[in-house]
Amino acid sequence: MKTISKLPLLLAAFAFTFTSCESSDDKNEGASGETGKSKYIITVSTGATGVADYLLTADDVSKGSITTAGNGLEQDGTYRYYLSTQNKFFSFLYGQGNPGAVTTYGLTANGDLTKTSNFQAETVQVFAPVNKDIVMVKVPRSGASISYMYKVDAEQSVLTGTVSQDTRLLIGNKNPDLAERAHFTWATQVGDKVFMPYMKINGIAPDTFGTRHADSTWVAVYSYPDLKLEKVIKDNRTSYLGAYFTNGLFQDEKGDAYGFSGAIGTANGVVTSTKPSAVIKISKGTTEFDKSYFFNVQEKSGGYKISSTSYISNGKFLLLMYGNAGTNSGAVKLAVADVYNQTFKWVTGMPATLSNATTRYNITTEDGNSAILGVNTPDGNWIYSINGSTAVATQGMKVEGGQITAIQTLKY
């Protein structure tokens, strides 16, 4: 994905996404996972002008190597983002202001990756699985203030509904001429509702993503499937959850939701957040932040901030950390945080220098205790497994021909 210079957008350069999809026109026998076999889907960006991302497949990523040279499926268009749900692989084309596309892939009975659907859609900045659907959100950053939420049937790969939200109303603008608005960072299913964290942004160039509200947290709560706004949850112990194109809210197996804040709000390109990078909690069945819970990750890490997050299992999360407090850049490191015990461990066994990693979404191994992700370095790109209990990394398959942008599995 392209690199963005401003800090709230810079974090997106360290994170990547995954998707899965299939068309009702193709009875893809692999979609049901009848054989119980799995295939890894590895997306690779060559970085070359006019060359789209590649989709590679492998039966085992714990060893060996794979290359884009003469291998894989070349996608139509670059700046692709991904999501897996309902045993389908969805690829979203970011149109950079123009309409995009949603391409669906599935596996045949022999485990071959095949395109099964491709439909035109608005370019969206949020896409998340909800029940058997995908909720996609087009989020305005300037000009018009209306955000459009689209429901897509993930099994049929068809649009089933659209709901609009005036993003100025979420921040209580009494003056409709003000450009300031809410900007959704992501969407997460929590119980039978959809929670959408957001940041408040100025909405005016050249400081479009700048904010006067760097030290507060907001989550809009929507009913489902009608996507009706029910309330807004607020807190002021840390900054907004997630970041541009970056999920910051996850539900665990117990039904509790944990929010991750990088505390990276800026004004005119300078970090203005004064609160720590931290984890906060919404207990199961509630629509309020748990005031008794606060996990100061910045303190536990010795001054680092959260860039992106993905869930492993049993309260353990994989974190991509960057820099030091008050800086816009710095060493990128991986860590495992246990939100139940509020413990923090740096990952060991990794290369000394990381360019980026696919931490925004990862695969959890079948035993539920390890995360499999792509790691890109100046010396090469590999797939690693990270143990959630020990935080020890094990190097696996080498990927040649470009940077790893996503890794996921499908059944066939």
Side-chain angles (χ1 to χ4, degrees):
M1 66 189 284
K2 69 175 182 178
T3 303
I4 317 269
S5 58
K6 293 183 179 296
L7 183 59
L9 311 187
L10 174 64
L11 301 186
F14 296 130
F16 302 91
T17 44
F18 308 92
T19 58
S20 65
C21 65
E22 176 192 329
S23 163
S24 60
D25 296 330
D26 188 294
K27 299 302 182 181
N28 191 340
E29 294 178 40
S32 64
E34 291 177 356
T35 68
K37 296 180 180 179
S38 295
K39 181 80 73 171
Y40 291 91
I41 316 298
I42 306 158
T43 70
V44 180
S45 176
T46 66
T49 302
V51 178
D53 293 353
Y54 281 83
L55 300 179
L56 306 177
T57 60
D59 295 315
D60 182 7
V61 294
S62 65
K63 57 186 177 181
S65 64
I66 195 169
T67 179
T68 60
N71 190 24
L73 297 177
E74 182 179 356
Q75 298 188 83
D76 179 18
T78 190
Y79 299 133
R80 287 276 183 173
Y81 305 91
Y82 309 98
L83 171 73
S84 292
T85 186
Q86 301 301 307
N87 199 38
K88 308 171 195 300
F89 189 81
F90 292 89
S91 176
F92 298 84
L93 175 64
Y94 191 81
Q96 302 188 78
N98 299 313
V102 180
T103 307
T104 304
Y105 296 87
L107 294 178
T108 67
N110 294 323
D112 297 324
L113 187 66
T114 181
K115 183 191 294 186
T116 59
S117 173
N118 189 67
F119 64 89
Q120 195 80 356
E122 291 289 339
T123 290
V124 295
Q125 293 75 27
V126 173
F127 38 89
V130 179
N131 295 337
K132 293 184 178 181
D133 300 331
I134 297 174
V135 171
M136 308 190 309
V137 186
K138 182 177 179 63
V139 191
R141 66 186 68 176
S142 59
S145 63
I146 304 299
S147 177
Y148 292 97
M149 305 173 185
Y150 305 100
K151 293 188 299 179
V152 174
D153 184 318
E155 293 182 311
Q156 304 297 323
S157 294
V158 294
L159 182 69
T160 60
T162 304
V163 176
S164 63
Q165 168 72 68
D166 190 333
T167 57
R168 294 175 301 180
L169 300 180
L170 288 174
I171 61 173
N173 269 352
K174 293 184 171 56
N175 184 350
D177 294 327
L178 286 176
E180 189 179 50
R181 76 274 310 283
H183 193 93
F184 298 113
T185 57
W186 210 248
T188 302
Q189 181 174 359
V190 180
D192 60 354
K193 303 181 187 301
V194 176
F195 285 29
M196 295 192 190
Y198 61 85
M199 50 185 175
K200 294 183 179 180
I201 63 173
N202 293 331
I204 301 177
D207 194 29
T208 303
F209 279 91
T211 180
R212 290 171 284 171
H213 310 279
D215 286 337
S216 296
T217 307
W218 308 271
V219 177
V221 179
Y222 291 89
S223 60
Y224 201 80
D226 55 344
L227 287 172
K228 180 179 179 181
L229 178 65
E230 294 187 345
K231 67 181 299 186
V232 172
I233 308 173
K234 303 177 183 179
D235 201 281
N236 61 4
R237 294 171 294 170
T238 186
S239 190
Y240 52 79
L241 304 181
Y244 177 74
F245 248 116
T246 304
N247 188 14
L249 186 67
F250 303 82
Q251 182 179 236
D252 70 356
E253 297 88 343
K254 301 177 181 179
D256 298 326
Y258 291 87
F260 294 74
S261 173
I264 43 81
T266 67
N268 298 311
V270 177
V271 175
T272 55
S273 296
T274 63
K275 302 297 176 66
S277 180
V279 183
I280 51 182
K281 176 183 178 182
I282 303 170
S283 297
K284 179 181 179 179
T286 71
T287 52
E288 297 291 343
F289 287 110
D290 183 345
K291 299 299 184 181
S292 68
Y293 183 94
F294 189 77
F295 182 5
N296 190 332
V297 175
Q298 187 168 322
E299 180 181 61
K300 290 285 180 72
S301 66
Y304 280 71
K305 292 189 174 186
I306 301 167
S307 171
S308 59
T309 309
S310 60
Y311 190 41
I312 302 175
S313 67
N314 298 315
K316 296 178 178 65
F317 288 83
L318 182 64
L319 308 179
L320 186 68
M321 309 289 291
Y322 77 98
N324 293 295
T327 67
N328 291 9
S329 62
V332 179
K333 301 177 68 175
L334 289 168
V336 173
D338 185 330
V339 298
Y340 296 163
N341 301 311
Q342 296 198 24
T343 57
F344 180 95
K345 295 179 181 178
W346 289 113
V347 172
T348 60
M350 297 294 294
T353 303
L354 305 184
S355 299
N356 48 54
T358 62
T359 50
R360 187 167 153 193
Y361 291 85
N362 63 256
I363 302 168
T364 300
T365 54
E366 290 186 5
D367 65 4
N369 195 43
S370 296
I372 299 176
L373 73 160
V375 173
N376 301 301
T377 81
D379 299 319
N381 312 311
W382 288 269
I383 294 172
Y384 273 80
S385 175
I386 298 177
N387 186 286
S389 298
T390 64
V392 173
T394 302
Q395 188 182 91
M397 176 181 282
K398 184 173 184 179
V399 178
E400 298 176 311
Q403 290 203 342
I404 307 166
T405 54
I407 180 170
Q408 192 56 281
T409 58
L410 294 181
K411 295 283 189 180
Y412 68 98

